Amino acid sequence: MTDLIKHQGTVENIVGTHVKVRIVQTSACSSCSAKSFCSSSESKEKLIDIYDADTSSLHLGQEVVVYGTTSMGMRAVGLAFGVPFLVMVAALFVLYRLTGGDEAVSALGALLTLLPYYAVLYALRGRIKRRFSFQIETTDK
């Protein structure tokens, strides 16, 4: 069985089979009983896009549960942080060798290798958005 990441939310918009759901993302300490005495608790509202959803039983303002797999979250972290780190470290070593040991130029060049990486991610955002799709289910209340 796959682990699921679930959030309760409210349907904000329905266009065909595309649904936007507003969720409240909270930090771990937001449910703590001492949160009123602490300034570290925080929560944010986010809009989640769900594609190819069965919208026949949905209406605006309805409470729903949005879920995705933890593997989807790990892939997102890998694309956003893991791959760029590896690209940057590899470029640093290659540039260090090519520049004859000039650390400043190597470091700057390694940082600049991230620009094309993130440009490619941006260009492929539509395809990536479909791969990282959430599912929706209605709450039975």
Side-chain angles (χ1 to χ4, degrees):
M1 181 176 154
T2 61
D3 294 347
L4 296 177
I5 301 168
K6 292 185 175 188
H7 289 284
Q8 289 196 345
T10 306
V11 175
E12 288 288 315
N13 192 7
I14 303 171
V15 177
T17 60
H18 177 222
V19 180
K20 285 189 183 261
V21 177
R22 182 175 305 279
I23 65 167
V24 176
Q25 183 181 24
T26 56
S27 65
C29 50
S30 66
S31 61
C32 175
S33 59
K35 71 179 177 184
S36 60
F37 303 108
C38 177
S39 63
S40 67
S41 64
E42 87 178 40
S43 64
K44 298 179 201 172
E45 284 192 353
K46 296 200 176 201
L47 279 176
I48 304 294
D49 291 313
I50 296 128
Y51 298 95
D52 302 326
D54 177 19
T55 58
S56 61
S57 63
L58 298 175
H59 59 274
L60 296 179
Q62 181 178 6
E63 294 292 319
V64 294
V65 175
V66 175
Y67 62 92
T69 61
T70 54
S71 64
M72 184 174 68
M74 296 304 286
R75 270 187 294 168
V77 169
L79 280 176
F81 301 108
V83 174
F85 175 75
L86 294 175
V87 166
M88 191 172 63
V89 168
L92 179 65
F93 285 116
V94 169
L95 290 170
Y96 186 78
R97 177 114 184 188
L98 291 176
T99 61
D102 189 346
E103 293 175 358
V105 172
S106 301
L108 181 61
L111 285 173
L112 290 176
T113 61
L114 295 180
L115 292 175
Y117 175 76
Y118 284 114
V120 168
L121 276 185
Y122 184 77
L124 297 175
R125 70 187 178 277
R127 189 183 286 180
I128 292 170
K129 191 186 299 185
R130 297 275 181 191
R131 287 199 66 187
F132 290 100
S133 63
F134 288 90
Q135 303 297 318
I136 189 168
E137 64 183 30
T138 58
T139 56
D140 297 288
K141 288 187 178 182

